[in-house]
Amino acid sequence: MHRVQRGRAPKLSLKSFSFVHKLAQGHICIFQFLANSLGAGVCRDIHLVFIRVEIFEHYCQLQQRKLPVEGSADRHLVLLFALCIHRYVLCAQVHYIHRILLEGGLKVLNVEGGSGVVNSQVHYGIKGLQSRGDEGLNIEGGYFDIFELLHTTAAQKHGCKGYKQYFSLFLHTVQPANIRKLSIFAVVSKKVYIETYGCQMNVNDTEVIFSILAKEGYERTEDIEKADVIMANTCSVRDNAEQRIWGRVEQFNVHKRARGAVVGILGCMAERLKDALLDTGKVDIVAGPDAYRSLPRLLADVSEGHPQINVILSREETYGDINPVRIDKNGVSAFISIMRGCNNVCSYCVVPYTRGVERSRDYHTIVREACDCVEKGYKEITLLGQNVDSYLFEDVNFAKLLAMVAEISPSVRVRFSTSHPKDISDEVIETMAAYPNICHHIHFPVQSGNDRILEKMRRRYNREWYLNRIAKIREVMPDCGISTDVIVGFCSETEEEFRDTLSLFEEVGFDSAFMFYYSERPGTLAARNYPDDVSLEDKTRRLNELIALQNRLSLESNRRDVGKEFEVLVEGPSKKGQGQICGRASNNKMCVWADSTHKAGDYVKVKVTDCTSATLLCELV
């Protein structure tokens, strides 16, 4: 028996068990960890015990060995890995060890003894161990939970006394002769796959979800075939977004039937259609936007015929304490949510019903997350909210927050989305102009150019107010790019009212626009109060006319940039390939140029030589 020397250690902190956390996440080869720890004698607080069962090589050679698994022919290395907790450990810390070891994915794969073979894959102790009083322990056919003492009143009152005594008995009485074969605890890391639909807020939510699950031993995968858990983070803004998810549920169900994968639907669609999703029998977990902290529990509790659901909306949840797992491909741009929910309740919009009331995140946590992004090498930070202009935490408004983030690093660009025309202040516009690293681009949804329709939409501004805000932006930042959202064919919209939208587009000259025809969302004010009385034919015709107009306006805007020079942040290879790379200027216009020397994250000076309606064609300066 090889034993790490004991020693009176101080009370343990949770950091003492960081290696166990890493072990449970599959980040450390268990053999390599045991060999290194034993050889270096670094584990003063945790006593590792190796019991020789069959002849095995010297422990230093274990670094080169693979973990034996059930059914493996490689049985000449058979170990018993046990953790004996120091008697001064706090009860709460033992609970932490218990959670990491058991919920983190450590399993006993195979135990063979004189009374028969017990094949088990259990999370609670070693199946087959029975107490025999003074004679110690033996492997029999029953079940004994070595952690059950943690949950007794006595254990809670007297710390770890019962737990310590049990382990002491276990370590001193088990003899090699009593066990023929015992596979080591195996690290089982479950893989989770998430598809993300909808807005940038959902992208950030997915990053939060990955972070929450990683702490519980789940590993991210981009290969659905390897996933134990398959999820979709969904959008409900338009009907076609939901229809796409229904199609994906059918595809996910193929994996569920074939290999028992757990299927989860998350986000806005889960909040809105919870019952319909569960009624399919093809979805195991339904979780709304404010329920992501409960996902580990939902995953632990799910079983065949017993789906799990949490769609409770919160007035406080902002996930401000969670450091998201960044999933962007190029490592250049990071999204940070500064608030959640919305209080505007536009008559056509489902967001207040799926994301809850508006609440602003503590600015300290936002700045801390932005600093972390800078330290990790990100070159662009986008602040996200349904209405960033209404951000307010204590005495910090959005303009002040914008300045705080911009001051972290002058070499890191700052963007934001989305502004609301009724709330954007002169202070925000002037702050943008004051900091060179705040990009000169505002996404400024207008939705309609007609006052009656704007009132019916509950937008709380009129055409004149919107145009005055545009004038202020261009007065302070003449080079500012402006994009918008618009809905055509809203309830009772006439042809003349649609023409008001066309004329507003002409007057503003947007650089780009996201354009849609009205899609009624069940449960909204419009769905409850206004008939969807514009025909699909008229909606489609109006949308096509507006798209044609915006294509012309975009081309005219881009042509005005021909001959100008821009500093561009490289995002990566262009979709066109052929040695070209792409990136965005401060005004958010996409630039493409031939380049074999620069890479994603570099700042490059380019000159515009030509353009399309969507792209500036450039050359290096």
Side-chain angles (χ1 to χ4, degrees), residues 564-601:
K564 294 181 181 179
E565 294 182 359
F566 293 103
E567 184 179 56
V568 175
L569 177 60
V570 179
E571 295 182 4
S574 168
K575 293 180 180 179
K576 296 181 179 180
Q578 300 175 344
Q580 293 186 321
I581 60 176
C582 65
R584 294 185 185 274
S586 172
N587 60 12
N588 204 43
K589 291 186 178 182
M590 178 60 72
C591 302
V592 175
W593 68 98
D595 195 333
S596 60
T597 58
H598 294 97
K599 63 184 184 305

Side-chain angles (χ1 to χ4, degrees), residues 127-142:
K127 188 173 182 180
L129 294 184
Q130 286 282 346
S131 174
R132 298 198 313 177
D134 294 337
E135 299 179 11
L137 303 172
N138 191 20
I139 296 180
E140 296 180 355

Side-chain angles (χ1 to χ4, degrees), residues 477-527:
M477 296 179 291
D479 62 340
C480 187
I482 301 176
S483 56
T484 195
D485 294 339
V486 70
I487 298 171
V488 302
F490 187 66
C491 308
S492 77
E493 182 189 65
T494 66
E495 196 68 26
E496 183 179 355
E497 289 168 336
F498 167 63
R499 295 293 157 190
D500 287 341
T501 298
L502 294 177
S503 68
L504 183 139
F505 266 56
E506 291 274 16
E507 187 169 350
V508 174
F510 295 110
D511 297 298
S512 61
F514 294 95
M515 299 161 283
F516 310 94
Y517 63 66
Y518 174 61
S519 170
E520 184 179 85
R521 310 310 297 128
T524 60
L525 286 173

Side-chain angles (χ1 to χ4, degrees), residues 181-342:
K181 292 182 180 178
L182 178 63
S183 299
I184 198 168
F185 284 106
V187 179
V188 179
S189 179
K190 290 191 175 182
K191 292 181 169 58
V192 59
Y193 168 91
I194 303 179
E195 292 182 0
T196 306
Y197 299 85
C199 64
Q200 292 173 326
M201 292 283 291
N202 272 8
V203 174
N204 184 249
D205 279 359
T206 295
E207 295 176 333
V208 167
I209 293 165
F210 276 127
S211 180
I212 290 170
L213 294 180
K215 292 178 181 179
E216 301 298 326
Y218 288 87
E219 178 184 344
R220 179 192 171 203
T221 180
E222 296 183 16
D223 186 352
I224 193 171
E225 299 290 341
K226 296 180 180 178
D228 303 288
V229 179
I230 300 172
M231 294 178 171
N233 191 4
T234 62
C235 173
S236 280
V237 171
R238 285 172 292 278
D239 180 66
N240 61 352
E242 291 186 345
Q243 293 306 316
R244 187 176 181 187
I245 298 302
W246 285 117
R248 293 305 292 158
V249 167
E250 295 300 323
Q251 293 301 312
F252 295 164
N253 190 48
V254 173
H255 298 279
K256 176 180 170 68
R257 294 199 316 267
R259 50 190 174 83
V262 174
V263 173
I265 300 298
L266 317 176
C268 294
M269 183 174 170
E271 192 72 39
R272 200 182 79 79
L273 296 173
K274 43 192 173 289
D275 294 331
L277 288 165
L278 291 179
D279 287 346
T280 65
K282 301 171 183 178
V283 175
D284 301 299
I285 291 175
V286 173
D290 292 343
Y292 299 145
R293 290 183 193 270
S294 68
L295 282 173
R297 176 181 58 80
L298 298 178
L299 285 166
D301 292 345
V302 75
S303 61
E304 187 65 32
H306 295 87
Q308 302 295 308
I309 182 172
N310 185 354
V311 291
I312 298 173
L313 290 174
S314 168
R315 290 182 174 270
E316 293 83 28
E317 181 62 84
T318 64
Y319 302 108
D321 60 318
I322 294 175
N323 192 19
V325 174
R326 304 295 172 188
I327 61 176
D328 59 295
K329 300 289 186 181
N330 56 19
V332 174
S333 301
F335 300 115
I336 299 178
S337 292
I338 66 171
M339 58 200 304
R340 299 183 72 83
C342 184

